[in-house]
Amino acid sequence: MKTAWLLLAVALTVPAAEPGPRRSGRDTMSPALQALQADDSQHPAQLALALGRELWSAGARSCANCHGEPATLRGAATRYPAFDAGLIDLPGRIQRCRVRHQQQPAWAPESEPLLALAALVARQSRGLPLAPPHGPELDTAASQGRTLYMTRIGALNLSCAQCHDERAGQRLGGSLIPQAQVDDYPVYRLEWQALGSLQRRLRGCLSGVRARIWDWDSDELMALQAYLARRSAGMPVQPPGVRP
Ligand code: HEC
Ligand code: HEC
């Protein structure tokens, strides 16, 4: 990945700053990108949202048949990851409905229909605070996620915390290091030219530090998501986000 990440690994002898108040990644990106995210008619995820609405009511046993309007799921996206015979995130819940209730084969991870529906469902929760649920399995996962977050990994030997807690707001090559708040997922990332899930974003950071890239829906990615959701708990969400 980018050489800037390597240079940071070298520069880490400089003492770290104390983490400041919580700020969403959308509030630290450029004004042009903030405007893009705030304007539904310009939003780069609008095609995906249109696809999501189409899929919502397609077929005999559609999402609409059981759930009615997408707006009935307002609030749902703020309550993930959840535990239901295993840890699931929002795309995972939609896969469950696809397999369990529609009796259709699961979509591939990060496939267009899955992300489109995730964006449509997540959008219904705009403005609501993140409120991840608790419970024995989720508590264990969140504490494992916190350990992963604090542990140095990869060829660059960096922890998530070294960038996102200690160096948030600093520049890494061309990019600003955000606080890694998870309030806007899924996001349309300009670098991807596509919508992507939080798991994709996390895999990008793993690749950045040249660590092993955990599988989709792996225990590690679910644990990190459980921790990150608690770390961002209470922050109002504005999905789908836009990111550089
Ligand atoms: C070398 C510094 C660095 C490390 C280490 C790192 N990241 Fe990141 N992360 C970034 C940068 C920079 C971005 C912004 C996107 C970009 O330009 O790549 C980012 C973006 C993110 C975002 C998206 C935030 C938003 O506002 O959308 C999340 C979440 C995140 N990282 C989580 C993690 C986790 C979890 C780890 C540990 C597994 C990690 N990162 C490790 C630098 C880092
Ligand atoms: C046959 C009825 C049925 C269909 C069709 C269906 N669902 Fe569901 N859905 C449910 C039930 C029942 C639940 C509660 C969890 C469970 O029992 O699986 C649920 C839960 C959910 C949740 C979680 C709500 C929350 O509060 O956390 C989401 C999101 C969701 N469905 C989305 C969808 C989408 C998107 C589709 C279409 C791809 C869909 N569902 C199709 C019955 C259905």
Side-chain angles (χ1 to χ4, degrees):
M1 204 157 143
K2 301 160 194 157
T3 38
W5 291 54
L6 210 105
L7 294 175
L8 178 74
V10 176
L12 273 178
T13 43
V14 181
E18 281 298 306
R22 291 190 306 177
R23 285 188 82 188
S24 168
R26 75 176 164 275
D27 295 331
T28 54
M29 61 189 186
S30 71
L33 288 190
Q34 291 185 29
L36 203 58
Q37 177 166 341
D39 181 350
D40 282 339
S41 68
Q42 301 290 318
H43 201 297
Q46 57 181 314
L47 284 178
L49 287 168
L51 172 64
R53 279 187 288 269
E54 222 173 89
L55 292 167
W56 181 262
S57 30
R61 197 186 274 247
S62 69
C63 320
N65 280 350
C66 290
H67 292 290
E69 289 296 314
T72 60
L73 291 179
R74 179 161 173 80
T78 65
R79 298 188 294 263
Y80 285 83
F83 183 81
D84 176 5
L87 255 59
I88 47 171
D89 54 14
L90 180 65
R93 167 60 80 199
I94 293 170
Q95 293 275 38
R96 286 281 168 89
C97 276
R98 168 108 174 140
V99 175
R100 194 187 267 174
H101 297 305
Q102 295 186 308
Q103 272 106 47
Q104 297 285 327
W107 283 295
E110 294 300 293
S111 56
E112 244 187 322
L114 180 57
L115 287 165
L117 282 167
L120 179 69
V121 171
R123 188 182 193 281
Q124 311 306 317
S125 293
R126 279 187 184 176
L128 296 177
L130 261 183
H134 287 248
E137 296 87 357
L138 286 162
D139 296 352
T140 304
S143 105
Q144 287 164 347
R146 184 175 188 280
T147 304
L148 292 174
Y149 186 87
M150 300 296 172
T151 306
R152 289 169 172 264
I153 50 169
L156 268 51
N157 197 31
L158 289 171
S159 70
C160 316
Q162 282 178 296
C163 280
H164 291 297
D165 289 345
E166 298 171 10
R167 282 168 183 78
Q170 296 182 16
R171 293 215 155 257
L172 186 52
S175 17
L176 189 81
I177 303 177
Q179 288 182 359
Q181 305 295 353
V182 295
D183 44 0
D184 282 353
Y185 282 78
V187 301
Y188 187 100
R189 203 171 164 217
L190 299 183
E191 189 179 304
W192 298 331
Q193 290 288 299
L195 260 183
S197 68
L198 179 55
Q199 291 199 34
R200 181 171 182 189
R201 174 63 264 182
L202 299 180
R203 286 163 55 102
C205 281
L206 292 170
S207 143
V209 296
R210 317 223 170 115
R212 190 160 71 82
I213 300 180
W214 294 312
D215 284 343
W216 300 106
D217 297 326
S218 59
D219 292 346
E220 290 88 352
L221 286 181
M222 294 310 304
L224 265 181
Q225 291 191 93
Y227 170 63
L228 291 171
R230 290 185 184 193
R231 189 169 162 272
S232 297
M235 295 179 76
V237 304
Q238 286 297 331
V242 172
R243 291 293 183 273

